[in-house]
Amino acid sequence: MCGIVGAVGKNNIVPVLLDGIARLEYRGYDSTGLAVVHEKGMLERLVSMARVTDLAQQAQSRNLAANTGISHTRWATHGKPCETNAHPHTSHNEIALVHNGIIENYEALRCQLEENGYTFITQTDTEVIAHLIHRYWHGNAHGDLLRAVQAATRELNGAYAIAVISAREPGRLVGARSGSPLVVGRHDKDVYVASDAAALISVTREIAYLEEGDVVDLRLGHIDCYDIYEQSVARSFLPVASGNTAVELGSYRHFMQKEIFEQPRAIADTLEGVDAITPELFGDSAQQIFTDIDSVLILACGTSHYAGQVAKQWLESLAYLPCQVEIASEYRYRDSVPNPNALVIVVSQSGETADTLAALKHAKALGHIHTLSICNVATSAMVRQTELSYLTRAGIEVGVASTKAFTTQLVALFLLALTLAKLRERLSEEEEAYWLRTLRHLPVAMQAALALEPQVIAWAEAFSNKDHALFLGRGLHFPIAQEGALKLKEISYIHAEAYPAGELKHGPLALVDAEMPVVAIAPNNALLEKLKSNLQEVRARGAELYVVADLDSHITPDSGMHVLRVPEHASLISPIIHAAPLQLLAYHTAVIRGTDVDKPRNLAKSVTVE
């Protein structure tokens, strides 16, 4: 969630610190700050509760310049958003650090440090790290920042990526990571750390990914890395994509709207090069791995979890493979029965989702050996930690509420279902050809669904003054109803829940009245007639119905029955198409209500803490 940038350079590094965290703004944050060490050994700290541009204005007004520094965007975990709790944190104005993650034993450490005479001014867990490093820096480390950080991190339980500077050592920066990502960059003699390679794209084309437990010591022209055993190690530098990663809003009002309308292109890019259904789409060793497996386990959070729920039904109906879908944040905290012959699939937009990475690690510890990531970022930790991968190529997604990442995940998972079906001789040549044609047509079908925006805006007007909403779906479309409800509550702050339509009479029907709008997804499939009966149950209770239907679903608009007809019927992959109107409904409802669509309150784009 938080963004970290640090640098040691020949010239003023303040512009680098500001540009780096500006490139991470889309992830979401509630405060920002930076700290630098001047040549004469003085720390200077700036923080802002506004945007990075405000921090930059402060730096400019002070003519701030230095060769060593750190910067940060914070998404609050411990302690409310305020200037006191904003990073960087300092200790005795001698140590400054920025931190991403959560320190689980911070309360015990805080008590120890208070007994040692340290005074705490923040409500955060991060201040513990600053004081702990300071204690070692003045004690056993004898003023050596590297040794102090190594000693301090041995006491930390939880997840962290940190960048640390000291007043007495200008020209030096120490970074460390465990459970949260941290990368190192270099250009000429200038050296950098960041929580994401995207933050450094304007200053370097060479990036090294630190491993779990690494501590890195940066000085001008020198990068020294030490592993968890404090042994000197070399981490390989890799080229990163050139070009400017800044994203322009263009003619759109918000990034979310732009990303909704980018879905036809994103789907086409995700399908680029798919001329046949073949295991090699997922990696060179996929043929053997896919042959060896006898089941599938999908681990994901939030929107990606709903994509996994759709994939479960595809995998079981097409490939006849048993599939289990787990919420990643719950999976590793319960007793489960591992199956070494299962394919473990992790799904994430960023590839840095802490809960999903932890679930992947747990699955491996239980003996799962076959792993696959469905991800939007080629250089992410998730892709690097799995045997196989499929990149969704959705492009940068700025809006916190995921749209194009979701539909491209579905495309990748459908390709996987087809591939496993083919290997298990459950996909004929004619069926393969049919699905390839259907997939190639998918961008056009999505474009047709997006053309319904004017009708969706009319629905949004009705939703904008409501406090609650109910979403219904059956079969493949129940997870799409869940995703629609999630989108609405994420950005409009309307309480929304989703249920399988057949479950209405088992409890939720008690909530239905004239003030509860009900959205139903009604594709023309085997469950349509059952769904129509469920809709009548709703109408009988006086609720307004909003139905997203196929062109041939034969549902007639009437008083209290509003029907939106998706122009094309895409059979098994219709969940991808039906997601679009629900995204638009959430977006336009939020716009009418005046919420911060791209950066909804309390949320962040890349969830890198548990």
Side-chain angles (χ1 to χ4, degrees):
M1 291 179 175
C2 309
I4 289 175
V5 179
V8 178
K10 301 185 297 296
N11 303 309
N12 178 24
I13 49 78
V14 172
V16 174
L17 301 179
L18 292 167
D19 177 75
I21 55 174
R23 291 173 184 273
L24 302 180
E25 277 192 293
Y26 73 93
R27 291 184 168 209
Y29 63 100
D30 45 50
S31 64
T32 183
L34 64 81
V36 297
V37 181
H38 297 290
E39 288 184 4
K40 294 183 180 180
M42 182 184 74
L43 277 176
E44 188 168 2
R45 172 180 177 265
L46 299 179
V47 297
S48 172
M49 297 305 298
R51 295 301 179 194
V52 173
T53 51
D54 178 70
L55 189 70
Q57 288 168 1
Q58 289 189 52
Q60 185 178 16
S61 68
R62 294 195 188 189
N63 295 316
L64 190 65
N67 299 98
T68 307
I70 51 179
S71 60
H72 193 261
T73 52
R74 176 181 186 249
W75 184 87
T77 55
H78 295 68
K80 64 183 181 181
C82 64
E83 288 192 1
T84 301
N85 290 331
H87 294 213
H89 285 337
T90 63
S91 181
H92 292 77
N93 210 35
E94 292 181 316
I95 296 291
L97 70 79
V98 289
H99 166 225
N100 188 10
I102 291 177
I103 304 305
E104 296 175 355
N105 62 333
Y106 83 99
E107 291 174 320
L109 291 172
R110 180 171 177 145
C111 289
Q112 293 174 16
L113 288 162
E114 286 175 333
E115 290 174 1
N116 294 152
Y118 283 91
T119 300
F120 286 79
I121 62 172
T122 80
Q123 302 166 308
T124 70
D125 55 338
T126 302
E127 192 178 5
V128 163
I129 313 175
H131 289 324
L132 195 60
I133 292 172
H134 184 269
R135 189 182 72 181
Y136 279 111
W137 188 63
H138 265 284
N140 299 339
H142 304 295
D144 186 294
L145 188 60
L146 171 65
R147 290 177 60 192
V149 171
Q150 288 175 321
T153 55
R154 285 196 293 268
E155 296 196 36
L156 302 179
N157 296 333
Y160 59 84
I162 58 175
V164 192
I165 55 178
S166 73
R168 294 188 189 176
E169 298 176 84
R172 189 179 199 185
L173 186 156
V174 176
R177 66 144 301 200
S178 178
S180 290
L182 197 66
V183 303
V184 179
R186 65 187 183 190
H187 178 69
D188 195 7
K189 290 188 176 183
D190 293 356
V191 288
Y192 315 95
V193 294
S195 53
D196 190 309
L200 303 178
I201 199 69
S202 66
V203 290
T204 182
R205 294 287 176 264
E206 288 188 300
I207 295 292
Y209 294 88
L210 297 183
E211 299 295 333
E212 195 76 356
D214 279 357
V215 178
V216 64
D217 187 10
L218 304 181
R219 301 173 189 259
L220 197 64
H222 295 279
I223 298 174
D224 297 309
C225 189
Y226 302 87
D227 65 15
I228 196 170
Y229 305 107
E230 299 184 5
Q231 299 298 308
S232 179
V233 292
R235 299 301 180 205
S236 300
F237 278 81
L238 304 170
V240 292
S242 60
N244 196 325
T245 60
V247 180
E248 299 297 329
L249 188 57
S251 60
Y252 294 94
R253 188 170 177 181
H254 299 93
F255 280 106
M256 183 179 177
Q257 184 186 33
K258 178 175 184 281
E259 288 152 11
I260 289 171
F261 280 89
E262 284 178 339
Q263 287 177 113
R265 190 273 309 156
I267 290 169
D269 288 349
T270 299
L271 290 167
E272 186 178 356
V274 180
D275 300 317
I277 303 301
T278 165
E280 284 70 32
L281 293 171
F282 299 88
D284 294 338
S285 58
Q287 173 85 39
Q288 184 60 53
I289 291 171
F290 288 172
T291 301
D292 291 343
I293 64 169
D294 61 12
S295 62
V296 173
L297 170 63
I298 299 177
L299 305 171
C301 299
T303 286
S304 297
H305 177 256
Y306 298 142
Q309 292 284 7
V310 176
K312 169 185 170 69
Q313 299 185 53
W314 283 336
L315 287 161
E316 292 189 345
S317 63
L318 288 170
Y320 208 65
L321 266 175
C323 179
Q324 182 179 359
V325 185
E326 294 265 7
I327 297 173
S329 60
E330 293 291 320
Y331 167 69
R332 72 188 184 110
Y333 295 111
R334 70 172 187 82
D335 293 330
S336 57
V337 182
N339 174 12
N341 296 322
L343 174 66
V344 176
I345 303 173
V346 284
V347 188
S348 167
Q349 187 280 136
S350 67
E352 304 291 352
T353 307
D355 285 320
T356 310
L357 286 170
L360 173 63
K361 183 179 179 180
H362 180 66
K364 289 181 177 180
L366 290 177
H368 290 283
I369 57 175
H370 302 309
T371 56
L372 163 69
S373 56
I374 304 292
C375 184
N376 191 38
V377 182
T379 56
S380 65
M382 199 165 289
V383 170
R384 289 182 284 115
Q385 291 175 24
T386 54
E387 289 179 294
L388 307 174
S389 64
Y390 193 96
L391 296 176
T392 55
R393 297 184 177 87
I396 292 176
E397 190 178 62
V398 175
V400 166
S402 182
T403 52
K404 61 179 179 175
F406 174 65
T407 51
T408 53
Q409 285 171 356
L410 288 173
V411 169
L413 289 163
F414 189 73
L415 283 173
L416 176 66
L418 292 176
T419 301
L420 292 170
K422 184 176 180 180
L423 283 176
R424 296 167 68 83
E425 298 182 349
R426 295 183 60 85
L427 187 73
S428 68
E429 290 184 10
E430 292 78 11
E431 289 171 324
E432 178 180 355
Y434 167 77
W435 286 120
L436 284 171
R437 288 195 305 272
T438 303
L439 286 169
R440 291 189 191 106
H441 182 67
L442 190 52
V444 175
M446 178 63 81
Q447 193 70 56
L450 293 172
L452 298 171
E453 185 179 30
Q455 294 167 257
V456 176
I457 293 173
W459 285 16
E461 292 281 356
F463 272 73
S464 63
N465 61 358
K466 301 298 183 182
D467 296 319
H468 308 277
L470 189 64
F471 286 69
L472 303 177
R474 299 199 72 146
L476 278 169
H477 295 80
F478 170 53
I480 303 304
Q482 291 178 295
E483 171 63 7
L486 176 62
K487 286 291 155 285
L488 188 67
K489 57 190 162 192
E490 274 184 304
I491 61 170
S492 76
Y493 314 148
I494 293 173
H495 173 246
E497 297 297 335
Y499 281 89
E503 285 293 294
L504 268 178
K505 56 187 173 291
H506 297 294
L509 201 57
L511 296 172
V512 173
D513 60 17
E515 294 303 311
M516 173 78 79
V518 178
V519 179
I521 307 169
N524 188 8
N525 58 22
L527 289 170
L528 180 60
E529 294 306 317
K530 296 288 186 184
L531 179 64
K532 287 180 179 179
S533 297
N534 303 141
L535 299 186
Q536 291 305 319
E537 295 170 358
V538 171
R539 293 192 72 186
R541 272 74 183 178
E544 293 280 313
L545 267 166
Y546 297 83
V547 184
V548 180
D550 283 343
L551 198 60
D552 53 358
S553 288
H554 304 295
I555 296 177
T556 305
D558 198 353
S559 175
M561 172 80 82
H562 311 274
V563 181
L564 189 73
R565 300 195 187 280
V566 178
E568 303 197 36
H569 175 61
S571 61
L572 275 181
I573 57 173
S574 64
I576 302 172
I577 302 301
H578 283 87
L582 302 186
Q583 294 168 350
L584 288 169
L585 176 62
Y587 170 75
H588 285 290
T589 302
V591 169
I592 294 168
R593 288 169 67 94
T595 63
D596 190 341
V597 173
D598 289 331
K599 297 182 177 70
R601 66 189 183 198
N602 305 332
L603 300 179
K605 183 63 181 173
S606 184
V607 188
T608 56
V609 296
E610 286 192 65

